[in-house]
Amino acid sequence: DTAVSQTPKYLVTQMGNDKSIKCEQNLGHDTMYWYKQDSKKFLKIMFSYNNKELIINETVPNRFSPKSPDKAHLNLHINSLELGDSAVYFCASSQTGLQPQHFGDGTRLSIL
Amino acid sequence: EDQVTQSPEALRLQEGESSSLNCSYTVSGLRGLFWYRQDPGKGPEFLFTLYSAGEEKEKERLKATLTKKESFLHITAPKPEDSATYLCAVQDSNYQLIWGAGTKLIIKP
């Protein structure tokens, strides 16, 4: 059973489009996260979401918005995609903020 | 500013050749230090958490240690399947994880 699953695995689209990435976790965790991993492999936190409390990294453009229909899902919606948005996006979850995070396999986003 | 630096960027070893990876950090109010392994095309996989200086954790051929300024991941008699990128992350007083860029480990048979 996949613990944290993301779809799609690959996403190729044109500049200016709007796209969404879905994330689901079946671990019963309370906290979910979105990360961006750039070409230099640095993982940068974008959002964390816990019991309807959203913590936003201030460097994230407001074109990015997380949406959580329930505790097991945290989707990422991106408006007006730009070339610089090309990266691998990872979803993760943890039981609490202190516990290790479990990651999905990532969504590779390529902007043409 | 909170920062995590991993060295070396890449390390090539022969099978059976032991070595260590380094993770040095500056962070206000360290809550924990995490080691992860990342294979190509996959998400990071959790290995260890260390909470206080002097703590050590072991798993198979891997052993992680922690001081007040750095952590080491020791690899004893590695095998080709240990090849991966090893990531270090520290958790600050706000529970945010700050990640290093990783060390790419290649074990040649």
Side-chain angles (χ1 to χ4, degrees):
Chain A
D1 285 344
T2 304
V4 181
S5 59
Q6 298 178 227
T7 55
K9 189 170 177 65
Y10 299 96
L11 186 52
V12 181
T13 189
Q14 302 221 335
M15 239 178 11
N17 284 351
D18 301 339
K19 290 293 180 184
S20 292
I21 306 172
K22 295 185 177 181
C23 178
E24 176 182 3
Q25 55 97 1
N26 63 7
L27 297 168
H29 287 168
D30 288 333
T31 307
M32 295 185 72
Y33 311 83
W34 276 106
Y35 284 90
K36 178 180 181 180
Q37 189 172 43
D38 60 25
S39 57
K40 294 186 177 181
K41 303 299 183 183
F42 270 108
L43 275 165
K44 295 181 181 177
I45 184 73
M46 301 177 70
F47 306 100
S48 64
Y49 195 84
N50 181 342
N51 290 331
K52 300 185 181 180
E53 180 188 7
L54 177 64
I55 301 173
I56 303 171
N57 184 322
E58 60 188 15
T59 66
V60 175
N62 58 16
R63 298 181 293 103
F64 291 79
S65 56
K67 298 184 190 306
S68 180
D70 55 57
K71 198 174 84 166
H73 297 83
L74 184 65
N75 303 324
L76 182 65
H77 189 76
I78 315 168
N79 289 327
S80 303
L81 281 157
E82 300 178 357
L83 288 174
D85 297 333
S86 294
V88 182
Y89 291 85
F90 286 99
C91 176
S93 71
S94 65
Q95 181 57 44
T96 68
L98 283 172
Q99 297 300 314
Q101 295 177 14
H102 296 260
F103 285 78
D105 282 341
T107 295
R108 183 174 295 277
L109 175 62
S110 299
I111 310 300
L112 303 177
Chain B
E1 182 183 345
D2 296 343
Q3 194 169 342
V4 177
T5 303
Q6 291 189 244
S7 61
E9 288 187 16
L11 182 61
R12 294 175 184 268
L13 300 171
Q14 287 293 136
E15 183 173 0
E17 181 183 1
S18 302
S19 188
S20 296
L21 312 182
N22 177 265
C23 171
S24 62
Y25 62 89
T26 53
V27 65
S28 55
L30 176 73
R31 293 196 177 273
L33 184 143
F34 299 82
W35 281 100
Y36 285 80
R37 167 193 172 128
Q38 186 173 22
D39 292 297
K42 299 288 187 180
E45 176 187 348
F46 170 70
L47 294 173
F48 304 109
T49 310
L50 301 166
Y51 292 105
S52 56
E55 190 174 358
E56 298 182 352
K57 294 273 180 75
E58 284 190 67
K59 180 181 179 180
E60 297 181 353
R61 295 177 291 281
L62 300 176
K63 179 180 176 180
T65 61
L66 180 65
T67 71
K68 289 186 177 181
K69 294 183 178 180
E70 59 191 350
S71 176
F72 290 94
L73 184 64
H74 306 277
I75 301 175
T76 302
K79 299 181 177 182
E81 54 262 40
D82 294 322
S83 297
T85 296
Y86 289 85
L87 298 169
C88 168
V90 298
Q91 191 169 46
D92 65 14
S93 56
N94 295 318
Y95 299 95
Q96 294 296 320
L97 281 182
I98 301 124
W99 293 81
T103 293
K104 185 175 183 178
L105 178 66
I106 299 170
I107 309 298
K108 297 175 286 184

